[in-house]
Amino acid sequence: MTQHFRTASGGRIDRKKAINFTFNGQKYIGYEGDTLASALLANGVHLLGRSFKYHRPRGIVAAGAEEPNSMVQLGEGATTEPNIRATQISLYEGLTARSVNVWPTVEFDISAINGLFAKIMTAGFYNKTFMWPRAMWMKLYEPVIRRAAGWGKAPTTGDPDIYDHMHLHVEVMVVGGGPAGLMAALAAGRARARVLLVDEQGEFGGSLLSKKRQIGAKDEMAWIADMLAELEAMPDVTLLSRSTAFGYYDHNYLCVLEQKTDHLPAAERKGKVRQRVWHVRAGQVVLATGAHERPLVFADNDRPGIMLASSVQTYVNRYGVLPGKKMVLFTNNDAAYETAIDLQAAGGDIVAIVDSRAEPSGELVEAVRALDIEILAGYAITGTRGGKRVESVQVRAIQKGAKVYTSAARRIDCDLVAMSGGWSPVVHLFSQSQGQLEYDEEKACFLPGTKRQAQQVAGALAGEFTLKECLAGGYKAGADAARATGFTPKRKPAAPEIDEPALGGIEPFWVVPGARPIGEGMAKHFVDLQNDTTAADIELAVREGFESVEHIKRYTLTGFGTDQGKTSNINALAILSGILDKPIPKVGTTTFRPPYTPVSYGALAGRNLGDWSDPVRVTSIHDWHVENGALFENVGQWKRPWYFPKTGETMQDALNRECLAVRNGVGVLDASTLGKIDIRGPDAAEFLNRIYTNAWAKLGIRRVRYGLMCHEDGMVFDDGTTARLAEDRFLMTTTTGGAAGVLDWLEEYLQTEWPELRVYCTSVTEQWAAVSITGPTAGALLKKLAPEMDLSPESFPFLSFKEGVVAGIDARIFRISFTGELTYEINVPWACGLALWEAVMAAGAEFDITPYGTESMHILRAEKGFIIVGQETDGTTTPQDLGMDWIVSKKKPDFIGKRSYNRSDTARADRKQLVGLLTEAPDEVLPEGAQLVFDANAPKPMPMMGHVTSSYYSATLGRSIALALVKGGHEKKGQKIFAPLLDRTVTAEIVDPVFYDKEGERLNG
Amino acid sequence: MADNASWITPAAAIAESFPDGFSELRPCAQVNLRGDIADLAFTDAVKSVTGLTLPDMPNKVATGKDFKALWLSPDEWLLVGEGDAEALVQSLEDALAGQHVAVNDVSANRTIFELSGPHSHHALMKSSEYDFHPRVFAPGDCVQTLIAKSQAIVEQVGENMFHIYVRSSFSRYVGGWLAEALAEYNEAP
Amino acid sequence: MLNIDCPWCGKRHETEFRYGGEAHIARPEDPAALDDTEWAEFLFMRKNTKGYFAERWLHNNGCRRWFNVIRNTVTHEIVGSYKMGETPPKLPKSAGGAK
Ligand SMILES: [Zn+2]
């Protein structure tokens, strides 16, 4: 197919570089510089898809981000993307795209029958119809709606592309690379501020790319080129094209999506970052985001070939495309007349200009009259005809303020309708930044009002609709921004002579009347093309009692979807204002939220996927565990060996073997992950006295004590052993996951509550690797590794430590125990961990030493009734609930948590308390988290009396054991309790939580 | 004390994948020091041992003959050097005896990466929200911030040259992350 | 994302900090002397101000200092930050943002 609708010359396309692409299976040719939309129009393709609800034929309306229709499924396979607007796709060799929301094809769409039921598919249709019965929803409605209303399809395989993030700090960030934005960047750049200029398009220049203007001695293209040359030469100015500022957050933090390879043929994308999200912190932000043209709301205003006037001008001037050859222009302002002039100059025919104003006047109007184009003043389009393309319009004289028309119609044949309802400044980012909008009656639009962040506005966004105003306003905004961030702007350059038409006024015309008042007739005056919302829907919503603009939005869906109502929001609220008979400012706008245009999940995630989704912390012994077949458990950010299965072993086999090895021989555990904090100062002991529930003042040097930490509310939040290294120095250990939180906690009290305490805390977690050997033969093993060391209980009693050489490495050895067996925890400098571990394994071979993981550790400690914070506790558990009154000092006058123990709530007798459970059937292992009841036959919902916190099969005991929190449990030992499960009820007896070696006889080996 | 040269960190296992301009330094002496900067007895004693005037300006590095001192907090510094950490700890303890201070050998606590070359700024921009632009951050500056999601100390040691200190357990994560951040620039011809 | 001024390190992104709740709630000198109501007041009751609010932050990925910030909870405007024990900065005249 050839490009029948190309102009003879002109445009920013390279006619020497033909580009092959495929749309809906048909092959076409476009040029480099085209968008998919412009290339399709050049080939005469207007029908791009079907509408959301009624499946009406739809075409291209706009030329940029405001496009409500023309969504396509871009590409194929893993990189396919749904619902991309054809107006935002740069054409590249080999591009393939398909229409969305069509079935089976865009030309013949079965669901268009919805149009016949249009009367019932009004606002709130889905809400009303599909409420009940629920079964019908599952079986019928949802599948049908999914097929009929689904837009594009998400890829079914993982995204192979590369995405990343970049953080940038600048003094001045300029959003929008049109004339105002370029001038702002220039002013700030000349002042030597660090500047970032972003623009969503492939080329800088904004509206100048679509219009012919003489700026001083240069035409618009030479002017843009000179601006860019000067900006590019500045070392601290960053220019990003194809980059959309999509979110404006607190304190001038903005996110920008840079599409780095989306305009390239597939072969040139390989290995490159596809999209990058820039996270920018700016001292000042200059918003020069321009304005979007508004459609006019008239009956059947949605046919393919009905487009925004300025977009038609863009297609003609920028892309060298005639969107039609017989155009009717419908406008309420005279800026749009320029489109008629440009189209005619490019070889199109202007059939008529329909101007809703009774007496249009001004330079452009006169210029059009001079071209002998018919102007129908005080007229409106009241209807259109055409199947898959507009074929004619019906125009009528309209009385100002009339609710219905009465005059006779005239039919005008055409293949293109250009419409202009005026301009809406792109206030999205300004509004996201919490700025307040103000309605300007004269310009008939919302403009930025009170700002909340350090920013400037310029250009069309600020209501500066002429180029002259844009250049001056842009420079001033850039200079002000530079000055506000401490730079001195250079003198303002002299204003160039600009050749542009003077603009006349605009007369708002929000909805064209029909034969019957809006809401009563069958005619569809579309307001939101993407969501198929009509003026009648808004009227209906009001009739049903909705008044708030936010409610109307949700009920009618106006402003949802990928275009977020860029062309529809203002029309909708103006129509609402008319129905409610309230001035527009009183109706208010809906909230603008990020993102400004859609952003892929890949870009948002950047590199924070897979291995990088969260830090993985490993010990210095980690690779040994991997090589020896360990399976791992995540504990906080740490990877800890879970258990070490041997070939052919089930998980339970491995656990049984590991646990029995500890009970009968010796096991070894990598304990490096525990948090370690050096606590030093004359008041260190006093500080620990206040932090822990038990007493620390009298702990001897080289002795170790276990402690519980509670919050002020009395609830346990961490535990661990702490050793006294010297009179004024302690080494505290914390739980693996709690280390950072405990250090914050200690610093909080030292810095905010007790600054008088002379104590320093230093985190030394990774200074020390810890290898714990435990079991009856642990002593013999250590003797072998440290032959010089006196291990006798007199010299090295339980809860003490020694320093010495183990396997040739300077070490600190702690006698503590989490298994109930004789245990030595050997600490060496972190990077020596592997050397120590290997020495222990070698020396332990004769004792059949067995590495074990966290799961066996859990079983072993549960046999002893030792708690794990976060498993037996959940932030609502006191030491007393855990049966650990023994660790709560009665003598200390105060410590954190103490006062809360006699609050009525913590003193209740029916609190959940820690108990042991033995199931009636010894092989039955209760599921952790199972709810417990006293009466298995109680009617549902049963009163729940507690839950299982830990549950295992204990090879040591040859049966299952469990720990549980049970209401009043301490007084209920010997009683039966039940766990009603899905398929059965398990009976258990409440027992003491210590299942093994109650007397602690095994501690000394 | 075992010979530092035999120390292994988790990053060592992936060092082969590190591109030009990125490496893990061999271990060196690191000592964490806490004390009252307003107390002359403290600062004099530290100076007598290390020759260093401890920086009281936040996020600055003081460099001496054998050691440098990185500001970590108003009462905390990291002493870094090629010398013997144990000996430094002992001399500091001796000189500071009787004072309220904390001296800890943390040589194994963190490992140090060196990032250099024309793309070092890009790698940092991809990894940190801190502003490393030369107008803001220069040789002699250090900062505690996040590299990806790991805490880190970043010290600028020369033009386009940075030392990045991370907790040893995070070293594989941070090392791998930074190596990948640089990949884009190394693959380009 | 907030840009928070650490009194020592200067402005840093919010991700370097941890929130610490309402400022200027001193732990009672002698908790035992308080009745349950008074103790509960200290433990649980917070102002939840709409508008300017004194709150604590910890520079936990930086210098590990706790400090105070005056922030407008509606607009996120930060008026200033100050060290523990220092006098709070003056609030802007308008009650600010609470509309
Ligand atoms: Zn700080």
Side-chain angles (χ1 to χ4, degrees):
Chain A
M1 277 188 106
T2 48
Q3 303 176 45
H4 286 301
F5 294 85
R6 277 293 173 199
T7 57
S9 62
R12 307 275 301 155
I13 44 163
D14 186 344
R15 292 172 195 251
K16 291 195 198 76
K17 290 189 181 151
I19 291 180
N20 299 288
F21 69 102
T22 308
F23 182 67
N24 284 338
Q26 177 89 41
K27 289 189 182 338
Y28 297 97
I29 294 171
Y31 291 131
E32 188 163 298
D34 262 327
T35 62
L36 175 59
S38 68
L40 286 170
L41 290 174
N43 285 285
V45 179
H46 275 258
L47 176 63
L48 261 69
R50 295 273 174 169
S51 74
F52 177 57
K53 210 156 68 176
Y54 306 119
H55 284 247
R56 288 166 67 113
R58 289 285 164 82
I60 296 159
V61 173
E66 73 274 35
E67 170 66 31
N69 290 337
S70 81
M71 287 189 294
V72 300
Q73 182 85 28
L74 181 63
E76 274 156 9
T79 56
T80 188
E81 277 194 287
N83 310 331
I84 310 295
R85 266 84 53 76
T87 55
Q88 295 197 289
I89 300 167
S90 296
L91 199 67
Y92 52 84
E93 182 63 34
L95 179 153
T96 62
R98 281 174 286 121
S99 297
V100 299
N101 202 27
V102 292
W103 180 53
T105 71
V106 68
E107 300 284 339
F108 175 74
D109 183 296
I110 288 170
S111 301
I113 203 163
N114 281 1
L116 303 179
F117 299 113
K119 190 68 189 168
I120 61 161
M121 292 191 74
T122 50
F125 170 69
Y126 289 108
N127 312 33
K128 289 170 189 164
T129 312
F130 299 125
M131 294 276 286
W132 56 269
R134 185 182 282 194
M136 286 293 276
W137 175 255
M138 303 290 288
K139 286 187 196 124
L140 179 64
Y141 302 147
E142 192 176 345
V144 169
I145 290 173
R146 286 226 181 273
R147 186 184 285 274
W151 281 330
K153 290 189 169 50
T156 50
T157 52
D159 187 342
D161 285 323
I162 305 168
Y163 302 85
D164 76 7
H165 295 167
M166 197 80 118
H167 301 274
L168 184 68
H169 296 251
V170 291
E171 278 80 45
V172 180
M173 173 174 178
V174 182
V175 183
L182 285 169
M183 283 302 270
L186 187 78
R190 283 183 179 171
R192 296 188 41 77
R194 288 185 289 170
V195 177
L196 170 67
L197 171 63
V198 301
D199 191 272
E200 64 180 3
Q201 307 242 1
E203 277 189 278
F204 289 96
S207 59
L208 279 180
L209 299 169
S210 305
K211 289 177 183 166
K212 298 188 191 312
R213 292 286 183 271
Q214 192 71 20
I215 305 167
K218 303 166 196 165
D219 68 12
E220 71 283 345
M221 289 308 155
W223 184 84
I224 294 171
D226 286 359
M227 292 289 286
L228 289 175
E230 182 171 349
L231 288 168
E232 276 161 6
M234 296 177 180
D236 289 319
V237 172
T238 307
L239 302 174
L240 293 177
S241 59
R242 302 187 194 282
S243 298
T244 307
F246 65 82
Y248 193 144
Y249 307 95
D250 297 311
H251 298 183
N252 272 355
Y253 193 81
L254 288 90
C255 285
V256 177
L257 176 72
E258 181 188 14
Q259 292 177 273
K260 292 175 73 69
T261 65
D262 290 339
H263 61 293
L264 299 176
E268 289 173 42
R269 300 184 184 189
K270 270 218 161 73
K272 292 180 185 161
V273 173
R274 178 190 172 214
Q275 296 179 343
R276 170 171 287 159
V277 175
W278 292 75
H279 294 242
V280 185
R281 178 78 73 185
Q284 282 267 321
V285 173
V286 177
L287 293 175
T289 47
H292 289 146
E293 197 168 22
R294 286 193 294 262
L296 285 160
V297 180
F298 51 94
D300 297 330
N301 56 344
D302 65 327
R303 297 192 199 284
I306 302 180
M307 302 174 67
L308 292 168
S310 63
S311 301
V312 170
Q313 189 182 21
T314 297
Y315 286 114
V316 171
N317 291 333
R318 180 170 176 186
Y319 299 107
V321 170
L322 289 176
K325 293 183 175 170
K326 277 161 61 188
M327 180 178 90
V328 170
L329 173 70
F330 181 20
T331 181
N332 67 348
N333 63 81
D334 52 39
Y337 279 59
E338 204 176 344
T339 297
I341 297 170
D342 289 355
L343 186 84
Q344 177 141 329
D349 187 16
I350 314 304
V351 199
I353 292 183
V354 180
D355 194 323
S356 63
R357 298 172 299 172
E359 292 170 1
S361 66
E363 196 181 327
L364 281 166
V365 179
E366 294 317 314
V368 163
R369 286 207 171 102
L371 293 172
D372 248 357
I373 296 170
E374 183 183 14
I375 298 176
L376 296 163
Y379 271 66
I381 296 180
T382 55
T384 69
R385 286 195 178 183
K388 288 157 192 168
R389 175 85 183 265
V390 64
E391 285 161 10
S392 69
V393 296
Q394 184 189 58
V395 300
R396 281 187 169 88
I398 295 292
Q399 293 229 284
K400 208 171 176 180
K403 294 245 188 272
V404 293
Y405 56 69
T406 49
S407 57
R410 175 179 149 193
R411 180 175 148 170
I412 303 174
D413 290 342
C414 62
D415 65 356
L416 174 66
V417 175
M419 60 182 164
S420 177
W423 292 85
S424 295
V426 180
V427 295
H428 300 64
L429 291 179
F430 177 79
S431 181
Q432 286 180 24
S433 76
Q434 299 191 15
Q436 305 290 306
L437 302 176
E438 280 169 15
Y439 190 72
D440 184 310
E441 291 285 349
E442 194 191 330
K443 291 176 172 160
C445 63
F446 279 96
L447 291 174
T450 310
K451 63 187 178 192
R452 279 266 171 75
Q453 301 208 31
Q455 72 195 181
Q456 317 289 331
V457 293
L461 167 65
E464 297 164 350
F465 290 133
T466 67
L467 180 55
K468 193 176 161 134
E469 289 174 298
C470 282
L471 297 183
Y475 194 88
K476 180 176 187 310
D480 288 349
R483 197 175 293 112
T485 49
F487 294 83
T488 310
K490 296 277 185 294
R491 264 186 66 172
K492 198 175 136 190
E497 197 65 34
I498 294 166
D499 179 21
E500 66 180 324
L503 290 185
I506 172 172
E507 282 178 21
F509 189 43
W510 299 115
V511 60
V512 175
R516 306 180 60 188
I518 297 296
E520 291 180 20
M522 281 292 284
K524 297 221 164 305
H525 296 63
F526 285 98
V527 176
D528 185 321
L529 291 171
Q530 193 167 95
N531 292 293
D532 266 358
T533 310
T534 64
D537 288 330
I538 297 172
E539 200 276 342
L540 175 65
V542 173
R543 228 186 315 137
E544 293 188 357
F546 295 94
E547 287 188 13
S548 150
V549 64
E550 295 283 8
H551 291 158
I552 299 267
K553 167 177 171 160
R554 280 151 187 83
Y555 195 57
T556 64
L557 296 184
T558 310
F560 282 97
T562 62
D563 69 333
Q564 289 285 294
K566 289 184 179 63
T567 52
S568 63
N569 283 337
I570 305 299
N571 280 342
L573 71 92
I575 290 167
L576 179 62
S577 132
I579 297 168
L580 295 173
D581 202 16
K582 266 199 219 171
I584 288 176
K586 283 266 186 306
V587 174
T589 62
T590 52
T591 311
F592 294 88
R593 292 194 182 85
Y596 170 68
T597 44
V599 182
S600 66
Y601 282 115
L604 292 175
R607 290 202 290 141
N608 299 290
L609 295 168
D611 286 351
W612 310 132
S613 57
D614 200 44
V616 172
R617 300 177 72 179
V618 295
T619 73
S620 53
I621 311 166
H622 180 79
D623 290 345
W624 189 96
H625 304 321
V626 174
E627 280 157 27
N628 287 275
L631 297 182
F632 290 86
E633 179 180 32
N634 293 333
V635 185
Q637 293 171 322
W638 290 92
K639 289 278 176 211
R640 296 197 70 180
W642 190 21
Y643 60 99
F644 291 83
K646 289 189 170 170
T647 313
E649 274 185 342
T650 64
M651 177 173 179
Q652 192 60 54
D653 292 342
L655 298 178
N656 293 349
R657 174 177 53 74
E658 290 176 11
C659 290
L660 291 172
V662 170
R663 294 285 178 229
N664 301 324
V666 62
V668 58
L669 176 83
D670 182 356
S672 307
T673 59
L674 294 179
K676 300 168 200 75
I677 302 169
D678 180 272
I679 297 171
R680 185 168 173 183
D683 299 317
E686 169 62 19
F687 181 52
L688 291 183
N689 255 347
R690 298 187 193 183
I691 289 287
Y692 279 129
T693 61
N694 50 350
W696 291 81
K698 294 200 180 116
L699 181 69
I701 293 171
R702 292 180 178 273
R703 291 301 171 123
V704 181
R705 186 164 286 172
Y706 172 79
L708 273 187
M709 256 181 234
C710 295
H711 285 142
E712 293 284 8
D713 62 5
M715 306 303 158
V716 173
F717 88 97
D718 208 83
D719 69 344
T721 57
T722 291
R724 191 166 205 162
L725 305 182
E727 183 59 30
D728 65 345
R729 192 170 183 189
F730 295 82
L731 181 66
M732 174 187 282
T733 64
T734 74
T735 58
T736 295
V742 169
L743 184 61
D744 288 356
W745 180 249
L746 301 182
E747 287 290 354
E748 179 178 347
Y749 275 82
L750 286 173
Q751 292 178 33
T752 71
E753 297 293 353
W754 306 318
E756 71 282 3
L757 292 185
R758 288 166 304 158
V759 178
Y760 287 126
C761 299
T762 307
S763 168
V764 292
T765 297
E766 280 111 309
Q767 176 62 21
W768 302 103
V771 175
S772 181
I773 53 174
T774 182
T777 55
L781 172 57
L782 183 59
K783 190 79 217 160
K784 202 175 155 192
L785 289 160
E788 307 288 297
M789 203 173 288
D790 182 355
L791 300 182
S792 66
E794 299 73 40
S795 163
F796 198 175
F798 182 55
L799 292 177
S800 71
F801 75 86
K802 268 181 184 273
E803 280 161 348
V805 176
V806 178
I809 306 168
D810 284 345
R812 198 183 264 153
I813 306 101
F814 295 85
R815 257 206 75 189
I816 50 181
S817 180
F818 199 39
T819 61
E821 302 293 330
L822 172 65
T823 305
Y824 298 97
E825 192 192 285
I826 309 163
N827 285 232
V828 296
W830 209 79
C832 304
L834 181 60
L836 173 68
W837 181 275
E838 285 179 333
V840 167
M841 289 306 297
E846 67 172 282
F847 305 98
D848 200 13
I849 190 166
T850 302
Y852 68 99
T854 50
E855 192 62 21
S856 294
M857 176 184 88
H858 283 194
I859 298 170
L860 293 161
R861 64 86 208 182
E863 289 168 353
K864 289 291 297 174
F866 295 147
I867 64 151
I868 287 184
V869 171
Q871 187 150 343
E872 271 64 57
T873 72
D874 61 4
T876 67
T877 319
T878 65
Q880 296 84 351
D881 296 340
L882 297 168
M884 294 173 77
D885 309 59
W886 55 269
I887 205 169
V888 180
S889 165
K890 311 289 180 293
K891 291 189 191 137
K892 290 196 291 182
D894 189 19
F895 57 86
I896 298 173
K898 180 179 170 83
R899 173 62 185 82
S900 288
Y901 298 140
N902 50 34
R903 287 181 62 237
S904 55
D905 185 57
T906 42
R908 274 187 295 123
D910 65 341
R911 289 183 64 82
K912 282 189 176 181
Q913 295 166 334
L914 186 72
V915 295
L917 297 183
L918 288 174
T919 50
E920 224 169 41
D923 287 339
E924 176 88 51
V925 181
L926 281 162
E928 285 176 0
Q931 292 293 322
L932 299 168
V933 301
F934 289 137
D935 177 1
N937 300 312
K940 290 171 190 169
M942 297 176 167
M944 291 185 280
M945 290 298 148
H947 64 277
V948 176
T949 59
S950 296
S951 179
Y952 314 96
Y953 181 79
S954 161
T956 309
L957 300 167
R959 59 154 301 136
S960 70
I961 55 169
L963 296 172
L965 286 167
V966 172
K967 284 187 182 174
H970 291 162
E971 299 303 316
K972 296 200 160 60
K973 284 176 191 159
Q975 291 188 21
K976 290 256 180 301
I977 196 161
F978 306 92
L981 305 178
L982 207 55
D983 55 348
R984 65 194 190 282
T985 293
V986 179
T987 308
E989 185 189 340
I990 300 176
V991 298
D992 187 87
V994 183
F995 297 97
Y996 184 65
D997 186 28
K998 282 191 205 300
E999 292 71 36
E1001 285 165 352
R1002 305 183 60 87
L1003 269 174
N1004 290 316
Chain B
M1 187 61 58
D3 180 9
N4 281 8
S6 69
W7 285 17
I8 323 169
T9 74
I14 58 162
E16 272 181 22
S17 69
F18 291 171
D20 289 350
F22 185 63
S23 59
E24 185 186 21
L25 299 182
R26 58 192 175 78
C28 63
Q30 299 182 53
V31 172
N32 194 283
L33 175 65
R34 300 195 66 173
D36 180 1
I37 188 89
D39 183 351
L40 277 178
F42 170 68
T43 52
D44 286 353
V46 173
K47 188 161 191 176
S48 72
V49 173
T50 63
L52 286 169
T53 304
L54 292 175
D56 60 351
M57 282 271 288
N59 303 305
K60 291 289 177 193
V61 183
T63 306
K65 196 162 79 59
D66 299 319
F67 288 95
K68 55 189 174 185
L70 281 64
W71 185 98
L72 296 185
S73 88
D75 57 13
E76 186 170 10
W77 296 266
L78 184 66
L79 305 178
V80 184
E82 289 300 322
D84 177 349
E86 231 174 322
L88 176 62
V89 168
Q90 199 50 58
S91 340
L92 283 169
E93 292 284 11
D94 292 346
L96 293 164
Q99 297 192 35
H100 170 41
V101 296
V103 186
N104 276 288
D105 180 356
V106 289
S107 305
N109 203 39
R110 291 191 186 91
T111 189
I112 307 173
F113 293 109
E114 185 171 277
L115 176 66
S116 63
H119 295 296
S120 49
H121 274 100
H122 290 135
L124 288 171
M125 286 168 76
K126 284 189 185 185
S127 310
S128 174
E129 288 170 358
Y130 185 75
D131 186 0
F132 289 103
H133 191 278
R135 285 192 194 182
V136 179
F137 197 73
D141 288 339
C142 66
V143 61
Q144 293 170 93
T145 183
L146 293 166
I147 293 291
K149 290 172 191 150
S150 166
Q151 240 176 13
I153 305 167
V154 182
E155 178 200 0
Q156 187 162 1
V157 293
E159 196 186 341
N160 285 337
M161 186 181 276
F162 301 87
H163 284 178
I164 300 169
Y165 302 64
V166 297
R167 294 293 194 114
S168 297
S169 65
F170 286 95
S171 65
R172 189 171 289 178
Y173 165 78
V174 173
W177 172 281
L178 285 170
E180 197 191 275
L182 284 163
E184 173 182 359
Y185 309 105
N186 281 285
E187 277 161 21
Chain C
M1 184 189 307
L2 302 185
N3 207 14
I4 298 169
D5 202 353
C6 168
W8 287 273
C9 305
K11 282 193 173 167
R12 300 288 185 87
H13 285 189
E14 188 181 339
T15 44
E16 288 189 12
F17 298 87
R18 215 192 87 185
Y19 187 61
E22 186 175 349
H24 307 302
I25 296 176
R27 185 176 193 269
E29 280 291 317
D30 182 8
L34 303 185
D35 65 25
D36 274 7
T37 312
E38 291 165 326
W39 182 245
E41 185 73 25
F42 161 72
L43 269 186
F44 304 122
M45 297 305 170
R46 297 297 180 267
K47 284 202 194 79
N48 196 23
T49 306
K50 185 177 183 183
Y52 291 108
F53 186 57
E55 59 196 21
R56 303 184 313 163
W57 288 82
L58 167 67
H59 194 187
N60 65 328
N61 288 309
C63 66
R64 298 204 347 260
R65 294 300 100 180
W66 284 87
F67 59 95
N68 298 314
V69 166
I70 306 279
R71 181 178 62 101
N72 187 319
T73 56
V74 178
T75 64
H76 290 319
E77 175 205 1
I78 289 179
V79 177
S81 47
Y82 52 104
K83 297 172 185 174
M84 290 294 159
E86 286 183 348
T87 320
K90 279 220 168 62
L91 293 184
K93 285 225 172 60
S94 75
K99 61 174 173 175

